[in-house]
Every structure is written in structure tokens, then in C-alpha cells.
């Protein structure tokens, strides 16, 4: 195995030595061709296809939820323009939401509070957008239930009752279900932070939630919904300062998408700042007191090489029509670090070569020594990102594909473009030209009689009459420090012991930290700290977590529901779900079979159905048709 590794090392070193010599002979080709390739591939940016759908990006492509949702939507299609049902939605759709809390922190169930809530509702209902030379209000573009009625906030029906509650302690409201002579209201999604007594009578309520769902059944309807949502945000934000007793937190369907876009845009200024800092750092670290061996321009070129590699890589991928996501903007930061690391390794290897050799020999030795390590590090980075590209999460896959390709191109540009520039710099060094201005210089040993500014900024190279003069042979201070001081310090026994102990402590803390990792995501961390959505997320998490999700169970099989055994099996299944500790209240279960059984057992309907046999499948279907007709009629008339 050792022999094989040595053989590979020798072969790779030999190949890179030949490449270095070839670059030194023809540096122009290795500078101009990469620039042309970067310009060609970089033109792919005109085909950029930006993707910002959070559901697509952050959920697995083969996730079970997507398969089951397609089944539900195929069996129970819902059209938001005619049969919208909030309890059966499988997609967020388009909507506007407002969470209202009293400014004084007291209960929301007060007349003065509901007066302003009602005023807020009227303002939102009257919001008007201009589309296709026509004015559209909420009632024109709202999601409609059976019967053609807009989705309404049922809690507003209790405004008069709340007024009476302030003066009559016998007038109460129950939670989460509120039963009236006409219907039963579910208030779990409308009222939040609710405190009840043992009889489920509301004692205190901290927040109210208003929802405005829009029609999204057609592309045209979606466009109008987007316009209305934008107007909704603008209006509610302005109203927040106008109301005296209530505070508002708003949210729309594309809030998360917009916030992710803002996060992406906020990175761009930091990219410029990072590039500036990296340029300054590279120039400073590549400079020496000798202005012939100093390489400030190579520090700049190292950054440019990384940028060209990223631009070419991204452009090439865009030609293959792969989506571009905001997190890809992190790749240039990574590539600057990787690319500059390669540049420093090559420069360090160059400085270790004998200055008496020709540029061809020096660059060959540089590549023989440094290019192997550069190749190995780039190869490991490339493989690591490509492994990430096989994950089922599109956001991770897209980022890894872009970054892996960028790693490859950055490596190629460091070996070719940066190598060509280093060869040109080597020829300038051989001619004793100034590293910054490419003009002839004077060795320090011959400039002892010159002024201090001339000796500091205009001298360099070796005196051919006295090549071993110590004034002309100063090494790089950092290399001297690590070789003569840091290396000696680390070789001491007690230092090595302390390093091992520190590493073991670091490893133990790291393992402990990994064991403390908990799965989950705090939504407000996806938004900027100054975003309106942060307040909404905080209020929703504080007041509306108990009844946050509606679980749908679909029996995707052909069953004979007229069979009492099948009915009992369905009932047993429902009871098993209801017994789960994650189900907040089993009384909230909606089952058509339970409602059907209650309907047939009712004395008022049993008289009409006495000629039917519920155990007969034909009669069962006829009774079910009557039941469905009555339910639809009652549902459309209670609006």
C-alpha cells in the first residue's frame, strides 16, 4: 500500500512538474484562454432561473406527504372559487391574516376592542385593486364556500354577545366549540391565548385571528390575489399606528418567500465587503520588503481567479437549466477562501525554490511540490459537495451541485490562470522589475546612500556582484516566524502535551454539542429581525399553537360501508386516532360516517327512512344521497 501511494505521488508530481514548465514557457495561453472560457460560460447567467418556493426547496422530493397529498387532491378535489373548505385545504393557497392583541395586554373580548376589530374587518373587506381596467374588492376575488358565499371570520358574529358579556355575567362563550341555536362555531383558530374554567367557559382571551382567503383556482385569479395581498400588507401596516386599543401583526401567503429573498439580497453588500477585505489581506500577506520578490498583484489575481471560476461554473450550470437559489450566494465566500488558500500554497512553494534557477525550473518545482496538495484538498471538497448533491432536498442538492462545480472550476483556474500570472511575475522577478510598477529596481545593498523612502519602496533584487549580501536575501517574515519560532515552540514536550489535551477537550465538547442537537426550525429565524413577520410568528406561537393543525385521514380503499362490521372498523380507527396524546380534543373530530349514523338514528329522519335497509348497499347509497343533499343545503343556508 505504501509503495502504491508513493508511486501515485511520484506520478502526479512528475505530471505537475511538466505542467508547470509548460505554463512557464507559454504563460500567455494560460492567461488568455481561461479569460475567454470564463466569458463564454459566464454568458449563461442570462439564462438564470431563480427558484424561491420554500415548499419545493425545503421538503424532500420523494416525501410521503407529497404522495399522500396528490391522493387526497385526486379523490377530494377542492376548487377555491366554489367549494372552499378551510378544514380540507391541502395547500396554503392565497390569504391575508391579522393577529390582533389589545395594547393594554388585557382580554380581547371587550366591546371597545371588537369595535376596532370590526372596523379593521370593514377596511380589509373594502380593499380595492385595479386589474384589467376594473376595480376588484375582496368579495369579488375571495375564496367561496358552497352556496357562493365568501369565507368569513365567524368570530365577528359575536360582537353583540361580547357587549352583553360585559354587563351580564350569565352571558358566556365556550371554547373551542361555541354552540348557538343556528350552528356550532369552532373558535380554536379565531381566538388565542384562551383561559377557560372547568366547563370550558372562556375566562380570558389574549388574541384574535382574522383570516381572508382568496381564490387561486386559475392563473388569473392568482395574479389578482398577489395584488390584493400586497395591498393588504400595506394597508394593515399603516393601520397599526391608527388604532388606539389594538396592535396588529399581519401575514400573507408569500411572506416567507419574500423574506427569504430579502435575506438573499442582504448578503450582496457583504460580498463586496468580503471581497475588499480579502483583497487587502491578500495584498498585504503577499508583500515583502524586497520589491522584486514581493507579489502584491498575485494576491489580487488569486481573488480574481476564484471569482472567474465561480462565474464560469455558475454560468455553465445555468446553461443546463438548473434552478438558482439564494443560498448559492454563499458559494463565492467559500470559493474565495479555497482559492486564496491554493494561491498561498503555490506562492509559498515558489519562495522555497532556488532563485538562481530559471523561471521554467522554478515553476516546475513549485507545481511538483504544491500542486499535489492543492489537488488533494480540491478533490476532497469536490467529492464532499457531490455527495450532498444526491440528497432528496432540492435546496441542498442545488447548492451542492453549484458549489461542487465551482470548486472544480476554482481549482482549474488556480492551476492555469493563476499559474500563468505567476509565471509572468517570475519573469519580471528574473529581470529585477518592481513588483508593483514593473520598472527596473536597485538592490538594497547598492542603495545604502539613498533616502529612506527610496530604500523602502524602490529597491529589491540581488546585487550580481555580491549575490550573497544579507541585505538582498531577506526571507518573508511570516515564513521565518513559523519556521524559527512557532515550529520550535510546538516541538517542546510540554507544548505537545497541552495541544493533545486541548484537542481532547475540544473533541469532547464537540461530541457533547452534537448530542444536544434538536430537530426543528424556529420560523422567525428565517426572516430579518426587522421584518413584520417576526411579530406575527411570535404571536402565533404564543397564542395559536393548541389548535394549529388539522389532520386529514383518508381511507383509500373500496369498502362496503353498508356493512356494520366495516362501520365498526372505521369507528375503531377513529377512536385510536383520538386516543393519541397529540390530538388536542377528540370532540373536534369530523366524520361523515358518524354524522350519517347520527342522521339515520334521529327520530325525525328515521320515520322517512323506515322503508330503507341501511345494511343493503343499494339502499345505503340512496340514504347517503339524501343525507348529502340535506347537509349541502344546510351548509349553504347557514352562511
Amino acid at each position: 500500500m505504501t509503495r502504491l501511494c508513493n508511486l501515485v505521488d511520484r506520478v502526479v508530481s512528475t505530471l505537475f512538474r511538466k505542467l508547470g514548465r509548460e505554463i512557464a514557457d507559454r504563460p500567455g495561453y494560460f492567461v488568455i484562454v481561461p479569460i475567454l472560457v470564463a466569458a463564454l460560460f459566464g454568458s449563461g447567467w442570462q439564462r438564470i432561473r431563480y427558484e424561491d418556493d420554500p415548499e419545493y426547496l425545503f421538503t424532500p422530493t420523494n416525501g410521503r406527504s407529497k404522495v399522500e397529498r396528490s391522493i387526497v387532491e385526486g379523490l377530494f378535489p377542492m376548487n377555491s372559487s366554489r367549494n372552499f373548505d378551510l378544514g380540507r385545504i391541502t395547500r396554503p393557497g392565497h390569504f391575508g391574516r391579522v393577529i390582533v392583541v389589545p395594547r393594554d395586554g388585557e382580554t380581547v373580548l371587550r366591546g371597545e376592542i371588537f369595535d376596532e376589530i370590526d372596523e379593521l374587518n370593514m377596511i380589509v373587506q373594502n380593499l380595492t385593486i385595479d386589474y384589467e381596467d376594473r376595480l376588484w374588492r375582496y368579495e369579488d376575488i375571495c375564496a367561496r364556500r358552497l352556496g357562493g358565499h365568501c369565507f368569513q371570520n365567524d368570530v365577528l358574529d359575536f360582537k353583540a354577545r361580547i357587549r352583553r358579556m360585559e354587563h351580564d355575567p350569565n352571558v358566556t362563550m365556550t371554547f373551542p366549540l361555541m354552540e348557538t341555536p343556528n350552528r356550532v362555531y369552532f373558535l380554536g383558530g379565531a381566538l388565542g391565548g384562551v383561559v377557560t374554567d372547568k366547563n370550558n367557559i372562556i375566562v380570558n382571551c389574549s388574541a384574535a385571528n382574522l383570516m381572508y382567503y382568496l381564490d387561486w383556482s386559475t392563473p388569473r385569479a392568482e395574479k389578482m390575489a398577489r395584488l390584493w395581498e400586497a395591498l393588504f400588507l400595506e394597508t394593515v401596516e399603516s393601520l397599526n399606528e391608527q388604532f388606539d386599543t389594538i396592535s396588529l401583526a399581519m401575514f400573507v401567503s408569500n411572506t416567507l418567500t419574500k423574506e427569504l429573498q430579502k435575506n438573499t439580497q442582504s448578503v450582496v453588500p457583504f460580498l463586496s465587503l468580503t471581497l475588499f477585505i480579502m483583497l487587502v489581506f491578500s495584498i498585504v500577506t503577499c508583500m515583502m520588503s524586497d520589491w522584486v520578490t514581493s507579489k502584491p498583484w498575485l494576491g489580487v489575481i488569486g481573488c480574481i481567479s476564484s471569482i472567474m471560476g465561480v462565474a464560469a461554473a455558475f454560468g455553465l450550470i445555468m446553461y443546463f437549466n438548473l434552478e438558482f437559489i439564494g443560498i448559492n450566494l454563499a458559494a463565492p465566500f467559500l470559493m474565495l477562501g479555497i482559492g486564496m488558500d491554493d494561491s498561498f500554497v503555490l506562492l509559498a512553494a515558489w519562495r522555497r525554490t532556488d532563485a538562481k534557477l530559471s523561471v521554467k525550473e522554478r515553476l516546475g518545482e513549485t507545481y511538483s511540490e504544491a500542486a499535489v496538495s492543492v489537488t488533494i484538498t480540491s478533490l476532497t471538497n469536490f467529492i464532499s459537495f457531490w455527495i450532498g448533491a444526491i440528497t432528496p432536498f432540492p435546496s441542498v442538492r442545488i447548492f451542492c451541485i453549484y458549489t461542487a462545480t465551482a470548486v472544480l472550476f476554482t481549482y482549474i483556474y488556480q492551476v492555469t490562470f493563476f499559474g500563468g500570472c505567476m509565471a509572468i511575475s517570475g519573469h519580471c522577478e528574473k529581470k529585477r522589475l518592481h513588483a508593483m510598477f514593473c520598472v527596473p529596481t536597485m538592490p538594497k545593498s547598492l542603495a545604502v546612500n539613498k533616502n529612506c523612502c527610496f530604500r523602502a519602496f524602490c529597491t529589491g533584487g540581488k546585487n550580481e556582484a555580491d549575490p550573497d549580501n544579507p541585505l538582498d536575501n531577506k526571507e518573508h517574515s511570516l515564513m521565518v516566524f513559523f519556521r524559527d519560532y512557532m515550529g520550535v515552540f510546538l516541538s517542546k514536550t510540554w507544548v505537545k502535551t497541552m495541544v493533545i489535551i486541548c484537542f481532547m477537550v475540544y473533541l469532547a465538547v464537540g461530541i457533547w454539542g452534537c448530542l444536544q442537537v434538536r430537530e426543528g426550525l424556529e420560523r422567525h429565524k428565517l426572516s430579518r429581525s426587522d421584518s413584520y413577520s417576526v411579530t406575527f410568528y411570535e404571536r402565533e406561537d404564543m397564542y395559536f399553537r393548541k389548535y394549529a393543525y388539522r389532520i386529514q385521514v383518508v381511507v383509500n380503499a373500496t369498502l362496503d360501508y353498508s356493512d356494520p362490521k366495516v362501520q365498526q372498523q372505521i369507528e375503531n380507527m377513529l377512536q385510536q386516532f383520538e386516543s393519541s396524546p397529540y390530538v388536542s380534543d377528540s370532540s373536534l373530530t369530523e366524520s361523515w360516517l358518524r354524522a350519517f349514523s347520527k342522521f339515520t338514528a334521529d327520530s325525525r329522519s328515521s320515520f322517512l327512512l323506515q322503508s330503507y335497509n341501511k345494511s343493503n348497499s343499494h339502499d345505503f347509497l340512496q340514504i347517503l344521497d339524501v343525507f348529502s343533499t340535506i347537509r349541502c343545503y344546510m351548509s349553504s343556508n347557514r352562511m
Side-chain angles (χ1 to χ4, degrees), residues 67 92 97 290 427 455 556:
V67 176
R97 285 184 60 186
D290 187 324
H427 287 293
R455 292 197 305 270
N556 188 23

Side-chain angles (χ1 to χ4, degrees), residues 79-86 142-154 183 635-636 638-639:
N79 191 312
S80 58
S81 64
R82 61 175 181 270
N83 65 339
F84 176 79
D85 186 349
L86 182 58
C142 65
R144 299 185 181 278
R145 293 173 169 174
L146 289 173
H149 299 279
C150 280
F151 174 84
Q152 299 291 338
N153 291 286
D154 294 337
R183 58 179 291 195
S635 177
S636 61
R638 72 181 184 183
M639 303 295 179

Side-chain angles (χ1 to χ4, degrees), residues 176-196:
L177 296 178
M178 176 65 193
E179 195 167 344
T180 67
N182 297 324
R183 58 179 291 195
V184 176
Y185 292 87
F186 171 67
L187 300 178
L191 300 178
V194 177
V195 179
T196 62

